[in-house]
Amino acid sequence: MLQTAFPDERLELLFTCCHPALATDAQVALTLRTLGGLRTEEIARAFLVPEATLAKRLVRAKHKIRAAGIPFRVPPDHLLPDRLLAVLAVVYLIFNEGYSGRNELAAEAIRLGGALAELMPDEGEVHALLALMLLHDARRPARFRDGAVVLLADQDRALWNLDQIAQGRTSLARAQALDGRGPYALQAAIAALHTSQTRDWPRIAELYGELAALTGSPVRRAEQGGRAGRVGAAAGGAGAGRVARARRLPIPALDAGRAAAATRSHRGRARRVRPRAGARARRAGAPLSAAAPGGAPAA
């Protein structure tokens, strides 16, 4: 049997399907459909496109695979970073769907994130994604009351999973130690700040600004602008107010700015996959510094 460095068979399949000959959004959509357990309408909702549009993308991707004879095989270790962008997006979108209520998907995404961190311990965005998912999922027991979403400011913090929050902060610290300043790291930093007893609203608004500039997303710029306005109102004595409800998390891995930044990062440094034994020793990372950012979505 072929021996690979993959610690998880499902993760191996994700890397196999995320072939660089396909556009990133096609890689993600096809992998979510075939391996992620998501229906076409769920994937379309995640991409913010009509279901018919997403269905056509899937058909075109399958046709390209057949026409070009694209081989679906496990890439060698030195090619893994070229597929990481799509794999991160798949894992995040699986979690994203679980965050809306399908708990089993959220748990599977976190498990895959942990396996990915063992496989590629020197990739900051891998640890950042794991941190982001852990920090959000830690608040799951407090997110709903009588079937309704409870905004973050109104959540019962006694229901939060403090151990999981600590794990998320450790993963975030590891990402930041690896110079992680990508969109996943910024979102994880916002999430960590939101779990603090006293939230640093100016810093949260600043991080949203960095996220908007990095991704070039008009949606994210609008979000950042709204939060900055609320921070300004807080400074004027009106109180921090409630952050606008966010039912779904953003998808930074699919933004053009994110893809360009990831490509520069991966090809600017010669990285290779380390064996699992060495990965475990590096997962502890440094403690989260007082200056390190952190935060979470509104609900």
Side-chain angles (χ1 to χ4, degrees), residues 201-291:
W201 290 107
R203 180 57 179 153
I204 290 173
E206 181 182 352
L207 288 170
Y208 269 111
E210 291 183 31
L211 185 62
L214 184 61
T215 62
S217 166
V219 173
R220 213 146 295 119
R221 283 196 295 270
E223 289 177 348
Q224 189 272 335
R227 283 163 175 76
R230 282 186 285 275
V231 171
R242 293 183 176 180
V243 178
R245 184 164 119 181
R247 284 186 175 273
R248 305 189 62 77
L249 306 176
I251 312 171
L254 302 181
D255 289 324
R258 159 79 178 112
T263 300
R264 288 193 298 271
S265 172
H266 292 321
R267 295 178 181 171
R269 287 191 288 170
R271 295 174 178 149
R272 64 183 181 85
V273 178
R274 298 179 181 272
R276 294 180 66 190
R280 291 193 182 94
R282 281 179 287 274
R283 287 191 68 188
L288 187 66
S289 66

Side-chain angles (χ1 to χ4, degrees), residues 97-166:
E97 190 62 32
Y99 192 72
S100 297
R102 295 181 61 180
N103 295 359
E104 75 284 359
L105 288 180
E108 173 67 5
I110 290 173
R111 188 184 67 78
L112 288 172
L116 191 57
E118 286 198 12
L119 175 68
M120 308 182 77
D122 293 333
E123 292 285 352
E125 281 288 81
V126 170
H127 295 279
L129 174 58
L130 179 59
L132 179 62
M133 294 188 297
L134 287 168
L135 289 165
H136 288 325
D137 192 68
R139 298 187 292 98
R140 179 182 300 281
R143 287 192 67 238
F144 294 93
R145 184 185 304 131
D146 298 327
V149 174
V150 180
L151 298 182
L152 191 148
D154 300 326
Q155 289 176 8
D156 182 356
R157 288 177 174 246
L159 299 177
W160 290 4
N161 188 329
L162 299 183
D163 289 340
Q164 194 165 315
I165 289 175

